[in-house]
Amino acid sequence: MRIDIITIFPNMFSAVLDESILKRAQAKGKVKILVHDLRRYSLDKHHKVDDRPFGGGSGMLMQAEPIFRAVESIKKKLKAKPEVVLLCPQGDQFTQKRAKELSKCKNLILICGHYEGVDDRVREHLADLEISIGDYVLTGGELPAMVLVDSVVRLIPGVLGDKNSLNFESFEGNLLEYPQYSRPAKFRSWSVPKVLVSGAHDKISAWQRVEAVRRTRQRRPDLLKK
Ligand SMILES: C[S@@+](CC[C@H](N)C(=O)[O-])C[C@H]1O[C@@H](n2cnc3c(N)ncnc32)[C@H](O)[C@@H]1O
């Protein structure tokens, strides 16, 4: 997979992309992630990429032209048609299901907005998808893009060491994950459930299933209805 990220703050990304699983995924060749400085695509001599909104209103909007130029230039370098994603608080809510779908794409182009947002012609005529990471407003699309990249890349086959860690995660089969414990079996006065140290694998699996359902019913009954 190749992911191209368009942003006015390219330096924000290295802290996330150059560490841990994302770093290893790139080193193993599972994903190529390129961060593009939008200002390079500006035709303005001062590399300006924003302007005042028509009709008035506070703040500045990111202009359509540099964003179209950036996406069109990236597209020329790709062999497969990319999915162009605009990070946007008004977009479809990001979910594990959407992360799985995107993890099957060959090419993703992520557009990070800033200021008061992005000229609406980007949404209308350039983006294939608009994605929101939740019902709150951030200063820019950089953190949402990092959230998306992290959740998508870990789903690419071979990126996580232990394949099973994907099978029993929260949201698989519309369940939250069961509670988990590590050593020591007794910490202060709290012992782990006896069944987990019994060595009886079928009993452990049954316990985990029951606890996953219990936890989902308590915390996210909406998932069970699905
Ligand atoms: C301050 S926000 C613009 C908000 C816009 N004025 C509105 O009210 O809908 C600037 C940029 O941050 C990004 N952003 C902010 N919150 C987001 C969210 N919840 N999900 C995805 N992107 C978000 C988008 O790229 C957006 O263009």
Side-chain angles (χ1 to χ4, degrees):
M1 174 188 271
R2 169 173 159 161
I3 304 176
D4 290 88
I5 302 170
I6 300 169
T7 171
I8 53 170
F9 292 110
N11 295 340
M12 282 179 72
F13 286 86
S14 58
V16 170
L17 301 183
D18 298 344
E19 294 289 345
S20 182
I21 288 170
L22 291 182
K23 181 179 179 181
R24 287 207 297 277
Q26 294 172 86
K28 281 202 254 175
K30 298 286 176 192
V31 64
K32 189 170 180 184
I33 305 175
L34 296 134
V35 182
H36 305 268
D37 185 348
L38 181 65
R39 292 185 195 283
R40 283 186 38 227
Y41 297 91
S42 168
L43 294 174
D44 178 78
K45 65 175 182 218
H46 302 296
H47 308 293
K48 202 163 94 76
V49 291
D50 60 328
D51 209 331
R52 284 170 293 136
F54 281 119
S58 59
M60 301 293 267
L61 268 190
M62 288 179 60
Q63 294 168 292
E65 176 143 47
I67 300 178
F68 271 77
R69 281 168 50 81
V71 170
E72 285 159 1
S73 152
I74 294 164
K75 275 184 174 174
K76 280 188 198 142
K77 294 177 190 131
L78 305 178
K79 291 190 192 103
K81 185 192 168 304
E83 202 70 27
V84 179
V85 179
L86 173 65
L87 283 313
C88 168
Q90 303 176 14
D92 292 348
Q93 183 108 6
F94 193 53
T95 59
Q96 186 69 6
K97 182 166 173 269
R98 182 49 66 84
K100 264 191 195 165
E101 287 163 11
L102 294 180
S103 73
K104 295 183 183 120
C105 293
K106 281 237 171 312
N107 295 107
L108 287 179
I109 300 180
L110 309 182
I111 304 168
C112 305
H114 225 88
Y115 312 121
E116 273 310 303
V118 173
D119 185 310
D120 217 55
R121 285 167 287 193
V122 170
R123 182 187 67 73
E124 287 170 49
H125 304 295
L126 190 63
D128 300 309
L129 266 178
E130 292 166 68
I131 289 185
S132 161
I133 62 158
D135 286 349
Y136 41 83
V137 179
L138 297 157
T139 53
E142 286 72 18
L143 291 171
M146 291 182 221
V147 167
L148 187 149
V149 167
D150 188 282
S151 60
V152 166
V153 169
R154 67 193 291 285
L155 295 174
I156 298 172
V159 166
L160 290 187
D162 179 1
K163 281 199 305 246
N164 291 331
S165 57
L166 285 178
N167 293 338
F168 302 107
E169 278 191 321
S170 291
F171 307 111
E172 274 309 314
N174 291 318
L175 288 175
L176 297 181
E177 196 178 51
Y178 46 80
Q180 299 196 81
Y181 305 87
S182 183
R183 284 175 182 74
K186 187 168 183 189
F187 167 65
R188 300 196 175 160
S189 58
W190 306 299
S191 297
V192 306
K194 275 204 182 90
V195 63
L196 295 182
V197 288
S198 68
H201 295 294
D202 42 353
K203 283 192 184 149
I204 292 173
S205 298
W207 181 89
Q208 288 171 335
R209 178 89 188 156
V210 169
E211 289 301 318
V213 174
R214 192 200 312 275
R215 190 156 267 209
T216 311
R217 189 175 298 125
Q218 274 170 356
R219 295 170 185 224
R220 292 292 305 275
D222 58 302
L223 290 177
L224 286 179
K225 283 188 198 128
K226 290 181 188 165

